[in-house]
Amino acid sequence: MTCLYTDNIASKQTRIPNITMLSVSGIALFLCVTCISCVSGAMMDDTKTLLRDLLSEYNKNVRPVRKQDDTVNVTVQMYVKSIQEFDEVSEKFSVVAGFSIIWKDISMMRDPAGYGGAYQILTSYDDVWVPELILTSPSDDVESLGATWNRIRYYPDGTAVWIPVKLVKSTCAVDVKIFPFDTQTCTLSFSAMGYEFNEVFIMPETDQANMALFTEHPMWDVVDNTASSERFGSSWQVSFGFKLKRKPEYVIVNVLLPILFLSILNLVVFLLVPESGERIAYCITVLLSIAVFMTIVSAMLPRTSKPVPIISFKLMIDIAISSAITVVAILNLRIYNKDPESPVLKWLIGIYRILTCTLCRKRKIEPLEMRKLLRKTSKAIRIQTVKAISTAENDNNFEKQPSDLTVEERITWKNISYMIDGVALCLFSLAAIGSFAVFMIIVTGRSK
């Protein structure tokens, strides 16, 4: 019995230290979890106390640096969401963008352990100092970047993070000289106006705007963007530049190709027979159509004289060619309707023979063909032919073989009219196609 009692006492003494070790370990784990919970999530009262202590003597009119000779360094990062509008006529450029603006405020430094572990706090935009960023090239009213609903987030070391979102409307100088293959560069510049350059220094966080959230625009491609900081008067400004390249497909299909087709249609007037009576009406219709397209293109471009778009010169050349075609068509109708018995000028006959190689195409006429030709020709031509044969017989130079007789076709004003149609068709075709080709070579060459 004694031995059994002794053994029980010994076993109890052995288990007591084990139980004690487990209890201590559990308590330590509980305290650790409790402390972590307190640090990661402060209570409402702790946050209220923290804000009251920080803002009770806070003055937002004082720059947040200990020595007022020091400079407040502000970093800005731009996040572009989309291009809202790019109006070349009014030269307006607007984008939807968010900004991450960071600086340090020594008045907001604190120890989180003294406030229930509150690591981050939020406060209203109107209650604290912020670097008021003003767009230096606004298209509408001059406004600051922030809004009353914005919140500023502060960390224990005094780091302040401000994330405003805004539709930024700016002016943008447009160069449409090589429209529609042009490339534009628009810059959005923000300055902390009211502060000297040694009081607030603004710099971009990276050398480019963030385009991760960007939505593609149907008319423009953003081929490049930059971010930089430079002096603006007596203060600093941060600038974000965007290089935009126009997508020319819309203008090619709706403007350039119709202009080319109208130029080709303009040439068809020389293929219309003069008896149709539609030549002049046709020319005027095409001329008015080109004028309408010139109005359409002018509405798409800014009203500026420097630089003048090359496409405007192209349209003026097309109007000049169409006007010249109309004048030639009118004069040619007068030539066509001249009296066929009136003599044709010798220099016109010479040009006609050179162009048509009439001298090379003299043909021998058989007796039967000779009679048919005499029946078809006018009385004056028949008299001239008889006189020529009689003269040849008297001079003994006329051989009695009718099969060797050759007759030269008489050139009339109608022949001259047809010649003018052919020459005008060739010349104006070269002018129309050449002007379009030169225009395309110039604008596409300069766009590279």
Side-chain angles (χ1 to χ4, degrees), residues 71 192-201 231 233-236:
T71 303
M193 293 186 178
Y195 293 101
E196 300 289 337
F197 68 92
N198 59 344
E199 294 177 339
V200 175
F201 174 64
R231 288 281 296 273
S234 60
S235 60
W236 288 96

Side-chain angles (χ1 to χ4, degrees), residues 157-304:
D157 62 348
T159 300
V161 179
W162 175 30
I163 305 180
V165 178
K166 192 174 182 64
L167 173 61
V168 183
K169 299 180 180 179
S170 173
T171 58
C172 179
V174 178
D175 182 358
V176 290
K177 188 171 185 178
I178 56 174
F179 175 88
F181 301 95
D182 52 320
T183 300
Q184 308 297 335
T185 300
C186 297
T187 302
L188 304 177
S189 299
F190 300 91
S191 175
M193 293 186 178
Y195 293 101
E196 300 289 337
F197 68 92
N198 59 344
E199 294 177 339
V200 175
F201 174 64
I202 307 175
M203 57 183 175
E205 184 176 340
T206 60
D207 59 354
Q208 285 187 330
N210 191 306
M211 307 294 290
L213 304 176
F214 182 71
T215 303
E216 186 177 359
H217 194 270
M219 286 295 295
W220 297 90
D221 285 327
V222 180
V223 296
D224 192 18
N225 75 89
T226 58
S228 60
S229 180
E230 64 270 351
R231 288 281 296 273
F232 179 72
S234 60
S235 60
W236 288 96
Q237 74 174 8
V238 61
S239 300
F240 298 93
F242 299 91
K243 188 176 182 180
L244 309 174
K245 185 174 180 60
R246 188 191 303 271
K247 298 178 181 179
E249 291 81 5
Y250 175 83
V251 180
I252 290 175
V253 173
N254 293 279
V255 177
L256 294 184
L257 289 181
I259 291 175
L260 177 61
F261 296 152
L262 284 175
S263 300
I264 295 175
L265 285 176
N266 211 5
L267 303 171
V268 181
V269 66
F270 297 110
L271 301 179
L272 284 174
V273 293
E275 291 84 357
S276 65
E278 298 294 334
R279 278 194 166 192
I280 306 303
Y282 184 88
C283 290
I284 297 298
T285 301
V286 176
L287 177 61
L288 293 177
S289 300
I290 296 176
V292 168
F293 268 94
M294 188 172 185
T295 304
I296 294 174
V297 173
S298 299
M300 301 172 66
L301 302 176
R303 294 170 178 83
T304 178

